[in-house]
Amino acid sequence: MRGRLTTHVLDVALGAPAAGLRVQLWRIRDDGRELLKEAFTNEDGRLAEPLLSGEAMETGQYELLFDVGDYYRGSASVAFLEWVPVRFHMADPDSHYHVPLLVAPGGYSTYRGS
């Protein structure tokens, strides 16, 4: 059984999921970058499906880009951050890689979730 790559975004300033936030997944190689997927978070701050799963899971370096600038410009908050990058290495394609983002207008944090 192959693994999957998932994410979710929480707006810690509101204490709620970040709905409608654009997320891009890029594969990083020595010869450049390749956009694999672009999606928007739902009302729960999650994507409708995994970013990668099954045979699409490959070892290598990836980058998630979160468009928090556009997200905050859509509300009364002032945007400081634009795109938040999270670059990581996927070593085991059979594992579940969950990369959540906790974001506020002035900062963010991330971790490898479960």
Side-chain angles (χ1 to χ4, degrees), residues 94-113:
D94 294 325
S95 289
H96 178 193
Y97 287 82
H98 184 66
V99 185
L101 181 72
L102 306 177
V103 67
Y108 67 93
S109 91
T110 188
Y111 55 95
R112 181 173 177 187

Side-chain angles (χ1 to χ4, degrees), residues 63-84:
E63 184 174 63
L64 283 170
L65 287 177
F66 297 90
D67 190 358
V68 298
D70 195 49
Y71 168 77
Y72 280 115
R73 273 188 292 281
S75 68
S77 299
V78 175
F80 167 69
L81 299 168
E82 287 295 330
W83 288 90
V84 171

Side-chain angles (χ1 to χ4, degrees), residues 9-112:
V9 185
L10 299 175
D11 184 332
V12 295
L14 296 177
L21 191 143
R22 179 171 36 171
V23 179
Q24 294 180 340
L25 174 65
W26 293 81
R27 178 157 174 119
I28 310 299
R29 300 180 193 265
D30 291 339
D31 60 348
R33 303 165 24 123
E34 175 188 6
L35 179 61
L36 299 179
K37 191 164 200 175
E38 181 174 271
F40 288 83
T41 57
N42 62 21
E43 63 281 347
D44 195 33
R46 298 176 185 278
L47 303 179
E49 59 187 34
L51 288 156
L52 292 176
S53 63
E55 294 301 316
M57 294 283 289
E58 297 179 18
T59 60
Q61 192 173 58
Y62 294 85
E63 184 174 63
L64 283 170
L65 287 177
F66 297 90
D67 190 358
V68 298
D70 195 49
Y71 168 77
Y72 280 115
R73 273 188 292 281
S75 68
S77 299
V78 175
F80 167 69
L81 299 168
E82 287 295 330
W83 288 90
V84 171
V86 179
R87 192 170 284 196
F88 60 96
H89 182 77
M90 196 171 343
D92 180 7
D94 294 325
S95 289
H96 178 193
Y97 287 82
H98 184 66
V99 185
L101 181 72
L102 306 177
V103 67
Y108 67 93
S109 91
T110 188
Y111 55 95
R112 181 173 177 187

